[in-house]
Amino acid sequence: MDLELDGIEVAFDHTAVAAPRIRDLLPVYRDLLGGVHLGGGGDNRASGFRSLQLTYANGSKVELMEPLAGSTFFDSFFELTRGRGGVHHLNFHVSDLDAAVALMSARGYRLHGLNVADPRWREVFLHPKEAHGVLIQLAQPGPWGDEPRPTLEEVLEGRGRNGNGVSSP
């Protein structure tokens, strides 16, 4: 079910969970709860993390994330969670990111991390102080084309999209 925010379509897409190692998340989110790798995933070298998504019978999704070697991307998050990780953010897809940013800014919400450089994934984050301690990601996905979707093993081996070639710990 899609909802609207002053004419902008908004749909919940996934919950992201971060840990020092994706391999530590798989026994719960894949093996116990039955998540199936969607195919795809890889490295965000600019930010310093690796991610992949699992889907469940009802279509819901969980994104699993880990830092790349030498990255400080999750440092403050891991400090808050005593190194264990946990729910990192909630993702909502919007039909018009520019309009969503303008609307939220006009209402006084603090936004950060606006990234519109890649037409396949435009995003902004609503600061956790604005959402009772929860980091909210708003994204406007675009067309991805026909590029092959790496397997779970390829992502963990560092051979996913933009992979750095270094295997996950």
Side-chain angles (χ1 to χ4, degrees):
M1 169 204 286
D2 287 345
L3 302 176
E4 287 191 8
L5 173 67
D6 288 355
I8 303 165
E9 292 179 21
V10 179
F12 177 73
D13 188 70
H14 66 268
T15 300
V17 178
R21 297 170 14 113
I22 288 174
R23 294 179 197 278
D24 293 338
L25 299 170
L26 291 172
V28 172
Y29 292 96
R30 181 190 59 187
D31 304 340
L32 178 67
L33 299 174
V36 176
H37 181 237
L38 285 170
D43 297 356
N44 182 325
R45 291 190 200 183
S47 294
F49 67 86
R50 175 171 292 158
S51 68
L52 59 91
Q53 288 189 355
L54 303 178
T55 189
Y56 298 86
N58 67 354
S60 60
K61 294 181 282 186
V62 172
E63 178 180 23
L64 306 181
M65 304 174 76
E66 71 182 14
L68 293 175
S71 169
T72 60
F73 182 76
F74 289 116
D75 284 1
S76 62
F77 176 71
F78 289 151
E79 281 179 33
L80 290 171
T81 64
R82 297 184 180 149
R84 294 185 300 262
V87 173
H88 183 262
H89 67 268
L90 301 180
N91 171 273
F92 292 84
H93 287 184
V94 295
S95 59
D96 185 340
L97 185 68
D98 297 326
V101 167
L103 176 70
M104 291 189 302
S105 295
R107 291 185 179 178
Y109 287 102
R110 287 180 285 175
L111 304 173
H112 65 95
L114 178 63
N115 183 349
V116 295
D118 185 349
R120 294 176 298 184
W121 188 258
R122 302 173 75 232
E123 67 183 1
V124 70
F125 292 86
L126 180 60
H127 197 282
K129 289 181 180 176
E130 301 288 354
H132 303 278
V134 178
L135 180 63
I136 304 290
Q137 177 186 45
L138 298 175
Q140 181 181 354
W144 280 83
D146 294 331
E147 70 183 63
R149 297 183 63 80
T151 66
L152 175 67
E153 292 75 22
E154 289 170 329
V155 173
L156 293 176
E157 291 169 3
R159 297 185 293 118
R161 185 171 186 279
N162 296 321
N164 65 6
V166 177
S167 184
S168 291

PDB file of all heavy atoms in Angstrom, residues 23-52:
ATOM      1  N   ARG A  23      28.394 -11.950   7.884  1.00  0.00           N
ATOM      2  CA  ARG A  23      28.340 -13.394   8.158  1.00  0.00           C
ATOM      3  C   ARG A  23      27.723 -13.687   9.532  1.00  0.00           C
ATOM      4  O   ARG A  23      27.116 -14.740   9.723  1.00  0.00           O
ATOM      5  CB  ARG A  23      29.728 -14.015   8.063  1.00  0.00           C
ATOM      6  CG  ARG A  23      30.314 -13.994   6.658  1.00  0.00           C
ATOM      7  CD  ARG A  23      31.716 -14.604   6.639  1.00  0.00           C
ATOM      8  NE  ARG A  23      32.467 -14.257   5.451  1.00  0.00           N
ATOM      9  CZ  ARG A  23      32.365 -14.867   4.275  1.00  0.00           C
ATOM     10  NH1 ARG A  23      31.506 -15.851   4.133  1.00  0.00           N
ATOM     11  NH2 ARG A  23      33.114 -14.495   3.264  1.00  0.00           N
ATOM     12  N   ASP A  24      27.868 -12.771  10.486  1.00  0.00           N
ATOM     13  CA  ASP A  24      27.273 -12.971  11.807  1.00  0.00           C
ATOM     14  C   ASP A  24      25.763 -12.744  11.802  1.00  0.00           C
ATOM     15  O   ASP A  24      25.066 -13.199  12.707  1.00  0.00           O
ATOM     16  CB  ASP A  24      27.930 -12.048  12.830  1.00  0.00           C
ATOM     17  CG  ASP A  24      29.383 -12.410  13.093  1.00  0.00           C
ATOM     18  OD1 ASP A  24      29.767 -13.582  12.841  1.00  0.00           O
ATOM     19  OD2 ASP A  24      30.137 -11.524  13.535  1.00  0.00           O
ATOM     20  N   LEU A  25      25.262 -12.028  10.813  1.00  0.00           N
ATOM     21  CA  LEU A  25      23.821 -11.764  10.707  1.00  0.00           C
ATOM     22  C   LEU A  25      23.074 -12.892   9.998  1.00  0.00           C
ATOM     23  O   LEU A  25      21.877 -13.090  10.225  1.00  0.00           O
ATOM     24  CB  LEU A  25      23.579 -10.449   9.961  1.00  0.00           C
ATOM     25  CG  LEU A  25      24.152  -9.195  10.611  1.00  0.00           C
ATOM     26  CD1 LEU A  25      24.049  -8.011   9.663  1.00  0.00           C
ATOM     27  CD2 LEU A  25      23.423  -8.910  11.919  1.00  0.00           C
ATOM     28  N   LEU A  26      23.747 -13.623   9.131  1.00  0.00           N
ATOM     29  CA  LEU A  26      23.089 -14.648   8.318  1.00  0.00           C
ATOM     30  C   LEU A  26      22.423 -15.764   9.125  1.00  0.00           C
ATOM     31  O   LEU A  26      21.330 -16.204   8.751  1.00  0.00           O
ATOM     32  CB  LEU A  26      24.078 -15.227   7.304  1.00  0.00           C
ATOM     33  CG  LEU A  26      24.491 -14.256   6.194  1.00  0.00           C
ATOM     34  CD1 LEU A  26      25.618 -14.869   5.351  1.00  0.00           C
ATOM     35  CD2 LEU A  26      23.308 -13.874   5.326  1.00  0.00           C
ATOM     36  N   PRO A  27      23.007 -16.253  10.238  1.00  0.00           N
ATOM     37  CA  PRO A  27      22.325 -17.321  10.976  1.00  0.00           C
ATOM     38  C   PRO A  27      20.921 -16.931  11.454  1.00  0.00           C
ATOM     39  O   PRO A  27      20.038 -17.790  11.533  1.00  0.00           O
ATOM     40  CB  PRO A  27      23.257 -17.590  12.160  1.00  0.00           C
ATOM     41  CG  PRO A  27      24.611 -17.205  11.653  1.00  0.00           C
ATOM     42  CD  PRO A  27      24.358 -16.001  10.775  1.00  0.00           C
ATOM     43  N   VAL A  28      20.699 -15.665  11.751  1.00  0.00           N
ATOM     44  CA  VAL A  28      19.368 -15.233  12.197  1.00  0.00           C
ATOM     45  C   VAL A  28      18.486 -14.868  11.003  1.00  0.00           C
ATOM     46  O   VAL A  28      17.402 -15.428  10.818  1.00  0.00           O
ATOM     47  CB  VAL A  28      19.467 -14.037  13.173  1.00  0.00           C
ATOM     48  CG1 VAL A  28      18.089 -13.477  13.477  1.00  0.00           C
ATOM     49  CG2 VAL A  28      20.160 -14.464  14.453  1.00  0.00           C
ATOM     50  N   TYR A  29      18.944 -13.931  10.183  1.00  0.00           N
ATOM     51  CA  TYR A  29      18.083 -13.360   9.145  1.00  0.00           C
ATOM     52  C   TYR A  29      17.880 -14.278   7.944  1.00  0.00           C
ATOM     53  O   TYR A  29      16.851 -14.199   7.277  1.00  0.00           O
ATOM     54  CB  TYR A  29      18.618 -11.991   8.703  1.00  0.00           C
ATOM     55  CG  TYR A  29      18.480 -10.994   9.818  1.00  0.00           C
ATOM     56  CD1 TYR A  29      19.545 -10.725  10.670  1.00  0.00           C
ATOM     57  CD2 TYR A  29      17.265 -10.361  10.064  1.00  0.00           C
ATOM     58  CE1 TYR A  29      19.412  -9.833  11.720  1.00  0.00           C
ATOM     59  CE2 TYR A  29      17.122  -9.474  11.110  1.00  0.00           C
ATOM     60  CZ  TYR A  29      18.195  -9.213  11.935  1.00  0.00           C
ATOM     61  OH  TYR A  29      18.054  -8.341  12.988  1.00  0.00           O
ATOM     62  N   ARG A  30      18.839 -15.163   7.656  1.00  0.00           N
ATOM     63  CA  ARG A  30      18.679 -16.126   6.558  1.00  0.00           C
ATOM     64  C   ARG A  30      18.248 -17.480   7.094  1.00  0.00           C
ATOM     65  O   ARG A  30      17.180 -17.982   6.740  1.00  0.00           O
ATOM     66  CB  ARG A  30      19.981 -16.268   5.776  1.00  0.00           C
ATOM     67  CG  ARG A  30      19.867 -17.240   4.597  1.00  0.00           C
ATOM     68  CD  ARG A  30      21.202 -17.572   3.983  1.00  0.00           C
ATOM     69  NE  ARG A  30      22.096 -18.173   4.987  1.00  0.00           N
ATOM     70  CZ  ARG A  30      23.369 -18.443   4.769  1.00  0.00           C
ATOM     71  NH1 ARG A  30      23.925 -18.154   3.617  1.00  0.00           N
ATOM     72  NH2 ARG A  30      24.112 -18.988   5.726  1.00  0.00           N
ATOM     73  N   ASP A  31      19.064 -18.068   7.977  1.00  0.00           N
ATOM     74  CA  ASP A  31      18.850 -19.454   8.389  1.00  0.00           C
ATOM     75  C   ASP A  31      17.639 -19.625   9.303  1.00  0.00           C
ATOM     76  O   ASP A  31      16.811 -20.500   9.078  1.00  0.00           O
ATOM     77  CB  ASP A  31      20.104 -19.997   9.065  1.00  0.00           C
ATOM     78  CG  ASP A  31      21.341 -19.888   8.174  1.00  0.00           C
ATOM     79  OD1 ASP A  31      21.198 -19.765   6.939  1.00  0.00           O
ATOM     80  OD2 ASP A  31      22.462 -19.898   8.724  1.00  0.00           O
ATOM     81  N   LEU A  32      17.518 -18.803  10.323  1.00  0.00           N
ATOM     82  CA  LEU A  32      16.416 -18.935  11.271  1.00  0.00           C
ATOM     83  C   LEU A  32      15.107 -18.377  10.718  1.00  0.00           C
ATOM     84  O   LEU A  32      14.064 -19.032  10.771  1.00  0.00           O
ATOM     85  CB  LEU A  32      16.761 -18.219  12.585  1.00  0.00           C
ATOM     86  CG  LEU A  32      15.676 -18.235  13.656  1.00  0.00           C
ATOM     87  CD1 LEU A  32      15.448 -19.654  14.164  1.00  0.00           C
ATOM     88  CD2 LEU A  32      16.054 -17.304  14.799  1.00  0.00           C
ATOM     89  N   LEU A  33      15.169 -17.169  10.152  1.00  0.00           N
ATOM     90  CA  LEU A  33      13.945 -16.496   9.717  1.00  0.00           C
ATOM     91  C   LEU A  33      13.578 -16.745   8.253  1.00  0.00           C
ATOM     92  O   LEU A  33      12.515 -16.329   7.804  1.00  0.00           O
ATOM     93  CB  LEU A  33      14.060 -14.990   9.979  1.00  0.00           C
ATOM     94  CG  LEU A  33      14.240 -14.630  11.459  1.00  0.00           C
ATOM     95  CD1 LEU A  33      14.487 -13.139  11.611  1.00  0.00           C
ATOM     96  CD2 LEU A  33      13.041 -15.074  12.274  1.00  0.00           C
ATOM     97  N   GLY A  34      14.438 -17.425   7.523  1.00  0.00           N
ATOM     98  CA  GLY A  34      14.099 -17.834   6.164  1.00  0.00           C
ATOM     99  C   GLY A  34      14.294 -16.792   5.080  1.00  0.00           C
ATOM    100  O   GLY A  34      13.702 -16.896   4.004  1.00  0.00           O
ATOM    101  N   GLY A  35      15.127 -15.802   5.319  1.00  0.00           N
ATOM    102  CA  GLY A  35      15.383 -14.797   4.294  1.00  0.00           C
ATOM    103  C   GLY A  35      16.110 -15.385   3.102  1.00  0.00           C
ATOM    104  O   GLY A  35      16.967 -16.253   3.236  1.00  0.00           O
ATOM    105  N   VAL A  36      15.734 -14.920   1.915  1.00  0.00           N
ATOM    106  CA  VAL A  36      16.342 -15.386   0.673  1.00  0.00           C
ATOM    107  C   VAL A  36      17.045 -14.207   0.023  1.00  0.00           C
ATOM    108  O   VAL A  36      16.451 -13.127  -0.128  1.00  0.00           O
ATOM    109  CB  VAL A  36      15.258 -15.955  -0.274  1.00  0.00           C
ATOM    110  CG1 VAL A  36      15.857 -16.351  -1.617  1.00  0.00           C
ATOM    111  CG2 VAL A  36      14.547 -17.134   0.378  1.00  0.00           C
ATOM    112  N   HIS A  37      18.296 -14.411  -0.369  1.00  0.00           N
ATOM    113  CA  HIS A  37      19.054 -13.340  -1.021  1.00  0.00           C
ATOM    114  C   HIS A  37      18.363 -12.960  -2.329  1.00  0.00           C
ATOM    115  O   HIS A  37      18.030 -13.808  -3.143  1.00  0.00           O
ATOM    116  CB  HIS A  37      20.485 -13.808  -1.275  1.00  0.00           C
ATOM    117  CG  HIS A  37      21.346 -12.783  -1.916  1.00  0.00           C
ATOM    118  ND1 HIS A  37      21.994 -13.004  -3.100  1.00  0.00           N
ATOM    119  CD2 HIS A  37      21.653 -11.519  -1.550  1.00  0.00           C
ATOM    120  CE1 HIS A  37      22.688 -11.930  -3.432  1.00  0.00           C
ATOM    121  NE2 HIS A  37      22.485 -11.007  -2.510  1.00  0.00           N
ATOM    122  N   LEU A  38      18.161 -11.668  -2.511  1.00  0.00           N
ATOM    123  CA  LEU A  38      17.491 -11.168  -3.712  1.00  0.00           C
ATOM    124  C   LEU A  38      18.366 -11.259  -4.954  1.00  0.00           C
ATOM    125  O   LEU A  38      17.879 -11.107  -6.063  1.00  0.00           O
ATOM    126  CB  LEU A  38      17.123  -9.688  -3.524  1.00  0.00           C
ATOM    127  CG  LEU A  38      15.952  -9.382  -2.627  1.00  0.00           C
ATOM    128  CD1 LEU A  38      15.872  -7.889  -2.347  1.00  0.00           C
ATOM    129  CD2 LEU A  38      14.672  -9.860  -3.280  1.00  0.00           C
ATOM    130  N   GLY A  39      19.635 -11.495  -4.749  1.00  0.00           N
ATOM    131  CA  GLY A  39      20.588 -11.325  -5.835  1.00  0.00           C
ATOM    132  C   GLY A  39      20.988  -9.860  -5.810  1.00  0.00           C
ATOM    133  O   GLY A  39      20.176  -8.986  -5.547  1.00  0.00           O
ATOM    134  N   GLY A  40      22.241  -9.606  -6.011  1.00  0.00           N
ATOM    135  CA  GLY A  40      22.697  -8.224  -5.972  1.00  0.00           C
ATOM    136  C   GLY A  40      23.333  -7.894  -4.648  1.00  0.00           C
ATOM    137  O   GLY A  40      23.450  -8.715  -3.748  1.00  0.00           O
ATOM    138  N   GLY A  41      23.753  -6.655  -4.554  1.00  0.00           N
ATOM    139  CA  GLY A  41      24.473  -6.178  -3.387  1.00  0.00           C
ATOM    140  C   GLY A  41      25.901  -5.888  -3.773  1.00  0.00           C
ATOM    141  O   GLY A  41      26.343  -6.200  -4.878  1.00  0.00           O
ATOM    142  N   GLY A  42      26.604  -5.270  -2.887  1.00  0.00           N
ATOM    143  CA  GLY A  42      27.996  -4.951  -3.170  1.00  0.00           C
ATOM    144  C   GLY A  42      28.527  -3.900  -2.239  1.00  0.00           C
ATOM    145  O   GLY A  42      28.029  -3.725  -1.127  1.00  0.00           O
ATOM    146  N   ASP A  43      29.519  -3.197  -2.726  1.00  0.00           N
ATOM    147  CA  ASP A  43      30.266  -2.252  -1.901  1.00  0.00           C
ATOM    148  C   ASP A  43      29.931  -0.809  -2.265  1.00  0.00           C
ATOM    149  O   ASP A  43      29.825  -0.468  -3.441  1.00  0.00           O
ATOM    150  CB  ASP A  43      31.766  -2.457  -2.089  1.00  0.00           C
ATOM    151  CG  ASP A  43      32.234  -3.832  -1.641  1.00  0.00           C
ATOM    152  OD1 ASP A  43      31.412  -4.604  -1.121  1.00  0.00           O
ATOM    153  OD2 ASP A  43      33.428  -4.122  -1.824  1.00  0.00           O
ATOM    154  N   ASN A  44      29.793  -0.004  -1.246  1.00  0.00           N
ATOM    155  CA  ASN A  44      29.734   1.439  -1.419  1.00  0.00           C
ATOM    156  C   ASN A  44      31.089   1.931  -0.928  1.00  0.00           C
ATOM    157  O   ASN A  44      31.273   2.179   0.261  1.00  0.00           O
ATOM    158  CB  ASN A  44      28.586   2.049  -0.620  1.00  0.00           C
ATOM    159  CG  ASN A  44      28.464   3.532  -0.824  1.00  0.00           C
ATOM    160  OD1 ASN A  44      29.454   4.237  -0.991  1.00  0.00           O
ATOM    161  ND2 ASN A  44      27.235   4.007  -0.811  1.00  0.00           N
ATOM    162  N   ARG A  45      32.026   2.019  -1.845  1.00  0.00           N
ATOM    163  CA  ARG A  45      33.404   2.359  -1.463  1.00  0.00           C
ATOM    164  C   ARG A  45      33.511   3.790  -0.959  1.00  0.00           C
ATOM    165  O   ARG A  45      34.321   4.071  -0.081  1.00  0.00           O
ATOM    166  CB  ARG A  45      34.337   2.153  -2.638  1.00  0.00           C
ATOM    167  CG  ARG A  45      34.515   0.701  -3.014  1.00  0.00           C
ATOM    168  CD  ARG A  45      35.621   0.576  -4.013  1.00  0.00           C
ATOM    169  NE  ARG A  45      35.551  -0.674  -4.746  1.00  0.00           N
ATOM    170  CZ  ARG A  45      36.457  -1.024  -5.624  1.00  0.00           C
ATOM    171  NH1 ARG A  45      37.472  -0.228  -5.893  1.00  0.00           N
ATOM    172  NH2 ARG A  45      36.352  -2.160  -6.250  1.00  0.00           N
ATOM    173  N   ALA A  46      32.706   4.692  -1.518  1.00  0.00           N
ATOM    174  CA  ALA A  46      32.780   6.098  -1.092  1.00  0.00           C
ATOM    175  C   ALA A  46      32.404   6.235   0.377  1.00  0.00           C
ATOM    176  O   ALA A  46      33.041   6.975   1.123  1.00  0.00           O
ATOM    177  CB  ALA A  46      31.869   6.959  -1.958  1.00  0.00           C
ATOM    178  N   SER A  47      31.384   5.512   0.817  1.00  0.00           N
ATOM    179  CA  SER A  47      30.955   5.583   2.211  1.00  0.00           C
ATOM    180  C   SER A  47      31.675   4.564   3.082  1.00  0.00           C
ATOM    181  O   SER A  47      31.834   4.768   4.281  1.00  0.00           O
ATOM    182  CB  SER A  47      29.445   5.378   2.323  1.00  0.00           C
ATOM    183  OG  SER A  47      28.765   6.446   1.703  1.00  0.00           O
ATOM    184  N   GLY A  48      32.060   3.426   2.505  1.00  0.00           N
ATOM    185  CA  GLY A  48      32.821   2.436   3.262  1.00  0.00           C
ATOM    186  C   GLY A  48      32.010   1.301   3.844  1.00  0.00           C
ATOM    187  O   GLY A  48      32.276   0.850   4.957  1.00  0.00           O
ATOM    188  N   PHE A  49      31.029   0.786   3.086  1.00  0.00           N
ATOM    189  CA  PHE A  49      30.275  -0.356   3.592  1.00  0.00           C
ATOM    190  C   PHE A  49      29.917  -1.313   2.464  1.00  0.00           C
ATOM    191  O   PHE A  49      29.910  -0.962   1.295  1.00  0.00           O
ATOM    192  CB  PHE A  49      29.019   0.072   4.356  1.00  0.00           C
ATOM    193  CG  PHE A  49      27.955   0.724   3.501  1.00  0.00           C
ATOM    194  CD1 PHE A  49      27.015  -0.031   2.833  1.00  0.00           C
ATOM    195  CD2 PHE A  49      27.904   2.105   3.385  1.00  0.00           C
ATOM    196  CE1 PHE A  49      26.044   0.571   2.050  1.00  0.00           C
ATOM    197  CE2 PHE A  49      26.941   2.722   2.614  1.00  0.00           C
ATOM    198  CZ  PHE A  49      25.999   1.945   1.941  1.00  0.00           C
ATOM    199  N   ARG A  50      29.604  -2.546   2.867  1.00  0.00           N
ATOM    200  CA  ARG A  50      29.111  -3.604   1.974  1.00  0.00           C
ATOM    201  C   ARG A  50      27.698  -3.937   2.425  1.00  0.00           C
ATOM    202  O   ARG A  50      27.418  -3.957   3.622  1.00  0.00           O
ATOM    203  CB  ARG A  50      30.018  -4.830   2.089  1.00  0.00           C
ATOM    204  CG  ARG A  50      29.559  -6.044   1.309  1.00  0.00           C
ATOM    205  CD  ARG A  50      30.626  -7.114   1.298  1.00  0.00           C
ATOM    206  NE  ARG A  50      31.750  -6.618   0.485  1.00  0.00           N
ATOM    207  CZ  ARG A  50      33.000  -7.073   0.595  1.00  0.00           C
ATOM    208  NH1 ARG A  50      33.310  -8.015   1.474  1.00  0.00           N
ATOM    209  NH2 ARG A  50      33.952  -6.581  -0.171  1.00  0.00           N
ATOM    210  N   SER A  51      26.823  -4.215   1.457  1.00  0.00           N
ATOM    211  CA  SER A  51      25.447  -4.554   1.827  1.00  0.00           C
ATOM    212  C   SER A  51      24.835  -5.534   0.836  1.00  0.00           C
ATOM    213  O   SER A  51      25.292  -5.667  -0.303  1.00  0.00           O
ATOM    214  CB  SER A  51      24.581  -3.291   1.916  1.00  0.00           C
ATOM    215  OG  SER A  51      24.402  -2.723   0.640  1.00  0.00           O
ATOM    216  N   LEU A  52      23.790  -6.195   1.299  1.00  0.00           N
ATOM    217  CA  LEU A  52      22.971  -7.078   0.470  1.00  0.00           C
ATOM    218  C   LEU A  52      21.591  -7.133   1.108  1.00  0.00           C
ATOM    219  O   LEU A  52      21.418  -6.724   2.257  1.00  0.00           O
ATOM    220  CB  LEU A  52      23.603  -8.471   0.358  1.00  0.00           C
ATOM    221  CG  LEU A  52      23.837  -9.240   1.661  1.00  0.00           C
ATOM    222  CD1 LEU A  52      22.645 -10.123   2.013  1.00  0.00           C
ATOM    223  CD2 LEU A  52      25.089 -10.091   1.519  1.00  0.00           C
TER     224      LEU A  52
END
